[in-house]
């Protein structure tokens, strides 16, 4: 080693890289705890954001424009987000994202079976709440929140 380097940096080079077992495990414990707390924080943060999101209200249609037992396709909140407004045979209104949560194939409303059906892989969702009834979809359909404003149906948000 260069003599000038030794004079400028009088370090015991033999002990410089030595880390005791206690110091190593102390560092690993602190690092693991930090990663665990960060993961818990991110998980909690993502759940609060995904539960309910509001967007700019958009007029979807009128109550008279959709007969009981039928469906009306629309886009919300962006023009690329396909959705389906359904009026169940009992007259109740519900709206869901039209993209299957398995591979994003479009779902169709089947009023006699009370479900939203994905023909790509035989998946089905409840027309009541969008929950998975059968097939490979891993998650329920996101529900579009609809407000009835004097017979006009407005999309106002998304509930995952």
């Amino acid at each position: 080693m260069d003599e000038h380097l030794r004079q400028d940096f009088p370090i015991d080079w033999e002990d410089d890289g030595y880390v005791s077992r206690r110091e190593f495990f102390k560092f690993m414990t602190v690092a693991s705890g930090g990663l665990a707390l960060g993961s818990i924080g991110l998980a909690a943060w993502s759940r609060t954001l995904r539960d309910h999101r509001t967007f700019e209200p958009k007029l979807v249609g009128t109550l008279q424009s959709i007969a009981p037992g039928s469906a009306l396709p629309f886009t919300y909140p962006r023009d690329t987000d396909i959705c389906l407004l359904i009026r169940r045979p009992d007259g109740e209104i519900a709206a869901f994202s039209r993209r299957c949560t398995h591979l994003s194939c479009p779902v169709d409303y089947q009023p006699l079976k009370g479900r939203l059906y994905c023909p790509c892989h035989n998946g089905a969702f409840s027309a009541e709440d969008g929950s998975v009834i059968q097939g490979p979809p891993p998650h329920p359909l996101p529900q579009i929140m609809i407000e009835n404003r004097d017979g006009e149906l407005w999309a106002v948000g998304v509930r995952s």
Side-chain angles (χ1 to χ4, degrees):
M1 186 174 280
D2 190 351
E3 189 61 36
H4 293 291
L5 185 62
R6 287 181 192 254
Q7 288 174 358
D8 291 339
F9 298 99
I11 298 172
D12 185 8
W13 293 101
E14 304 291 324
D15 292 335
D16 181 49
Y18 178 74
V19 177
S20 71
R21 199 178 321 169
R22 179 173 290 170
E23 289 172 342
F24 174 75
F25 281 111
K26 203 184 297 184
F27 171 77
M28 291 304 293
T29 302
V30 169
S32 298
L35 287 172
L37 287 175
S39 296
I40 291 169
L42 283 174
W45 179 69
S46 69
R47 293 301 291 160
T48 57
L49 290 179
R50 293 188 61 142
D51 183 39
H52 170 97
R53 288 176 277 181
T54 57
F55 296 99
E56 189 71 29
K58 180 179 181 180
L59 179 63
V60 175
T62 62
L63 199 55
Q64 288 74 25
S65 68
I66 182 166
S70 64
L72 177 69
F74 67 100
T75 59
Y76 183 79
R78 299 173 295 185
D79 290 337
T80 57
D81 297 323
I82 57 175
C83 303
L84 200 60
L85 175 71
I86 62 172
R87 188 165 184 190
R88 296 190 294 260
D90 63 2
E92 289 295 314
I93 296 289
F96 301 96
S97 169
R98 196 166 181 196
R99 292 190 194 278
C100 177
T101 57
H102 178 229
L103 291 176
S104 297
C105 295
V107 297
D108 293 316
Y109 179 50
Q110 295 179 330
L112 297 178
K113 294 184 178 182
R115 69 182 189 173
L116 295 153
Y117 178 70
C118 177
C120 292
H121 296 101
N122 201 28
F125 302 89
S126 168
E128 297 289 324
D129 59 4
S131 61
V132 178
I133 297 174
Q134 72 181 35
H139 306 289
L141 288 173
Q143 187 171 8
I144 310 302
M145 295 180 293
I146 300 291
E147 285 183 3
N148 185 347
R149 299 178 181 173
D150 297 323
E152 294 181 335
L153 302 174
W154 288 80
V156 295
V158 179
R159 181 176 294 129
S160 297

